[in-house]
Amino acid sequence: SSKNYGEVCTRALKLVNATNLIFPNEKMALKDGLKTAEHKETFATVLVDLLYGTSDEYEQRFMRFASVLEEIGSAKWTTATYFPFFVFPQKHMFLKPTVTQEAAELCGFEISYKPQLNWKTYERVLAFSKWLFDELTERGLKPRDMIDVQSFIWCIGPESYAA
């Protein structure tokens, strides 16, 4: 029902607002994009499918979600990767473009970054994250999930991130 779509959107916005991972202007773009009933329905449907769908490969579900974010004016990497990272941190990574690109460069890992949402970049970010997880594990640092890997990425970046 339309009430459920609205509830999914309300919870999604609440979750986004519960952390400081997404810039305020990107949070506002998502909120503004979810003003119409049609956008709420579309967003809620693809978000639930992205997180819990089983009918398609994750790549197809991710690209459908990216397409809807584009349609509602909220196509940012942070927004596209936030929900899978938050719900399934053991296998998904949150992509903060600048810090992730710099960390990948420091590690000599190619992530094929493009600002437009695309599968190749996200697939490479997932591969980089898994590689980092394995490297940290091998060195006895015991990361629990990609949240620990994300924290490590922030720690190895230039000192400007700490400011």
Side-chain angles (χ1 to χ4, degrees):
S1 79
S2 61
K3 183 175 178 354
N4 292 349
Y5 299 131
E7 181 63 23
V8 169
C9 294
T10 298
R11 289 180 183 197
L13 290 169
K14 195 173 184 177
L15 184 61
V16 163
N17 286 319
T19 68
N20 64 356
L21 292 175
I22 298 178
F23 288 127
N25 59 319
E26 293 171 5
K27 291 177 182 181
M28 189 56 72
L30 180 59
K31 184 179 179 198
D32 290 346
L34 295 175
K35 285 207 158 84
T36 70
E38 180 189 358
H39 284 173
K40 283 179 184 167
E41 179 177 348
T42 307
F43 175 83
T45 302
V46 297
L47 176 60
V48 170
D49 186 49
L50 175 73
L51 298 174
Y52 305 107
T54 55
S55 60
D56 287 323
E57 291 295 315
Y58 190 78
E59 175 181 352
Q60 282 79 42
R61 298 188 338 250
F62 178 84
M63 290 312 300
R64 277 196 299 271
F65 186 62
S67 176
V68 168
L69 290 178
E70 187 76 44
E71 188 184 313
I72 67 171
S74 193
K76 295 290 186 185
W77 278 111
T78 50
T79 306
T81 59
Y82 182 83
F83 300 102
F85 173 71
F86 199 91
V87 177
F88 300 110
Q90 61 282 8
K91 65 179 178 182
H92 286 287
M93 180 49 84
F94 175 69
L95 176 51
K96 197 80 162 171
T98 304
V99 67
T100 307
Q101 287 176 85
E102 289 175 356
E105 198 174 305
L106 279 171
C107 295
F109 203 101
E110 177 56 53
I111 62 167
S112 304
Y113 179 77
K114 300 262 183 301
Q116 303 79 18
L117 302 181
N118 70 89
W119 178 248
K120 183 176 183 186
T121 296
Y122 190 57
E123 184 178 46
R124 295 300 299 154
V125 166
L126 291 175
F128 172 54
S129 304
K130 170 133 184 32
W131 177 82
L132 263 181
F133 183 93
D134 293 344
E135 288 293 314
L136 293 169
T137 300
E138 227 174 81
R139 286 162 173 70
L141 293 174
K142 300 180 182 151
R144 289 165 300 194
D145 53 30
M146 294 304 167
I147 294 171
D148 288 345
V149 174
Q150 177 62 233
S151 299
F152 181 78
I153 286 173
W154 278 90
C155 291
I156 64 173
E159 291 175 39
S160 61
Y161 300 140

